[in-house]
Amino acid sequence: SNRFRWTFNEQASRNSQFRYYPNVEGIDCDDNGFLYFVSKRRKMLYKLDLDRGTYITVPTNEALEGQGSFADTPDNIDWGNDGNFLYFTEDGGPTAGVYAREKSTGKMYAMFEALWREYKGDEATGLAFSPDGSKMYACFQDCGCPQESSETGLDFTCGCMLEFSRDDGYSFDGAPSNLRFHSKSNR
């Protein structure tokens, strides 16, 4: 397995980052002593075992269960409330949205993707959950709000905040969230 060590040498740290995990973004930890972050350039999730000083890497652009495609680079990550799913936002490109990797199986799912022209190349960011997990929040940084005075009819300097709600009493993280909804075979 891969090993890591901490250093107080800032230049050595910068060299290591540039070589092994360039354009690092999003960081979160779970309740079992693991630290997670993503490399946008490598399109990888890094999972560090802080107690053992080891790590593994997992590609973030693997095939999704059901429909959707994580076609560009990972950005923010969040374990949600229950820690059953690691959520990713997509940083610019054709599939801005939020995606989830199930902890127990490693399967990836699309929670939502923005497929309309005003979101192409946009960035989903600001992922958060309500305390009870029944609401998920995300933002588009440059969502192309309608503006008649612009050449394209869209203003790409505005941002949009989205709220997704569950009305069945379950959390977005738990098995009852039935992410199979996104599968073609379960429509």
Side-chain angles (χ1 to χ4, degrees):
S1 103
N2 300 314
R3 302 206 47 83
F4 73 90
R5 64 183 172 83
W6 302 107
T7 181
F8 292 104
N9 183 322
E10 184 177 348
Q11 189 57 50
S13 176
R14 288 180 185 276
N15 292 343
S16 176
Q17 182 270 332
F18 182 78
R19 182 174 179 188
Y20 297 108
Y21 48 96
N23 297 96
V24 69
E25 288 270 353
I27 187 167
D28 205 354
C29 57
D30 67 15
D31 294 334
N32 298 315
F34 292 97
L35 181 73
Y36 300 80
F37 61 87
V38 293
S39 168
K40 291 164 74 165
R41 185 176 299 159
R42 300 228 173 164
K43 298 181 181 179
M44 289 285 195
L45 170 69
Y46 292 75
K47 177 182 177 183
L48 283 65
D49 184 329
L50 299 176
D51 294 329
R52 292 191 173 105
T54 60
Y55 72 94
I56 62 168
T57 58
V58 179
T60 59
N61 59 348
E62 295 175 332
L64 301 178
E65 298 292 315
Q67 295 185 2
S69 62
F70 192 91
D72 218 297
T73 57
D75 199 357
N76 304 139
I77 60 174
D78 191 309
W79 272 109
N81 292 352
D82 297 335
N84 294 325
F85 291 90
L86 180 62
Y87 295 89
F88 295 81
T89 62
E90 195 267 351
D91 181 18
T95 58
V98 172
Y99 302 84
R101 177 182 294 275
E102 190 172 9
K103 188 175 187 178
S104 62
T105 66
K107 292 181 180 179
M108 286 277 287
Y109 301 90
M111 296 301 292
F112 74 89
E113 269 183 25
L115 301 176
W116 304 278
R117 72 178 177 91
E118 55 264 27
Y119 299 104
K120 295 295 184 201
D122 204 339
E123 178 178 347
T125 188
L127 183 62
F129 296 88
S130 64
D132 66 358
S134 67
K135 296 184 186 304
M136 178 175 65
Y137 305 94
C139 300
F140 288 118
Q141 286 187 341
D142 306 307
C143 62
C145 302
Q147 183 182 33
E148 292 180 24
S149 63
S150 75
E151 189 175 301
T152 62
L154 298 170
D155 174 11
F156 289 102
T157 63
C158 72
C160 304
M161 183 175 149
L162 307 169
E163 177 187 277
F164 296 88
S165 297
R166 292 199 55 141
D167 58 8
D168 58 7
Y170 293 117
S171 166
F172 272 95
D173 306 295
S177 64
N178 193 9
L179 291 176
R180 293 174 304 154
F181 167 81
H182 296 282
S183 172
K184 289 179 183 178
S185 63
N186 291 321
R187 285 188 171 227

